[in-house]
Amino acid sequence: MNEQQAKRIRIYLTVAVLLAEIGHLAWEHFHGGIASHHFLNRADMPAVSNGWGLLLLPAISWFLGGIALRRSIATAAAATINAPGGQAEAAGLARGVFVGFFAELLFGASLAATFSLGYQDVTSILFFGMLLLALVFRVYRAECVLGFVLGMTFTFGAILPALVASVTAVISAVAHRVLYPLARRVWMALGLG
């Protein structure tokens, strides 16, 4: 993929998300009104309208989609220049970006579906499991955050999933970028590695 193709993908993604959100809000409008969601699902907490998704979703799709595509292009270019068989590595990276996006999209949709269907125990397991998975997988990457937010949007709007994804991304980034490298350095310094 070159930069021109990446720009087209970014535009198509943003337009598709915008159109999907317009459809979602239109459906809500004609089926009882645009929903609002309370923080922590508690009526004494502030409510946030799903209407904010019309601004937030295209913006994060543009921003996070651009980051994911730039990372994919830069790493693919480095792989093809620096290594024999770099084309295969570059293709693997592009696949990894799509796998990360769709895995988080499905995870977010599963979390939203279990909540909507009233399976609170399963929802709790998925939610806390998500925090543990953030320690194992690099869910701080742009494609993962975007997939998660889009997966939960139909049920929870855009704001609450973006907040949850941000917390999960911070946990994952601190673990993978700070704690694990620090632990590796200490391990090596102790002569155990």
Side-chain angles (χ1 to χ4, degrees), residues 8 31 34 40 48 50 58 85 93-95 98 100-101 104 107 114 121 123 145 167 170:
R8 275 197 302 270
H31 290 86
I34 295 176
L40 303 175
V48 178
N50 281 0
L93 173 71
R95 249 189 322 276
F98 289 111
F101 173 79
E104 285 292 322
F107 192 91
T114 58
D121 292 337
T123 303
V145 172
V167 169
V170 167

Side-chain angles (χ1 to χ4, degrees), residues 10 14 17-18 53-65 146:
R10 188 178 186 190
T14 304
V17 167
L18 175 64
L54 200 56
L55 295 173
L56 182 64
L57 290 176
I60 65 171
S61 296
W62 180 262
F63 180 69
L64 295 176
L146 180 60

Side-chain angles (χ1 to χ4, degrees), residues 98-133:
F98 289 111
V99 167
F101 173 79
F102 285 109
E104 285 292 322
L105 181 76
L106 289 174
F107 192 91
S110 298
L111 192 59
T114 58
F115 179 84
S116 294
L117 295 172
Y119 298 120
Q120 302 306 325
D121 292 337
V122 177
T123 303
S124 294
I125 290 168
L126 286 174
F127 180 78
F128 290 112
M130 171 184 65
L131 299 176
L132 291 174
L133 289 172

Side-chain angles (χ1 to χ4, degrees), residues 52-85:
W52 284 103
L54 200 56
L55 295 173
L56 182 64
L57 290 176
I60 65 171
S61 296
W62 180 262
F63 180 69
L64 295 176
I67 290 172
L69 290 167
R70 274 193 304 278
R71 183 174 59 81
S72 181
I73 290 169
T75 309
T80 55
I81 291 170
N82 295 331

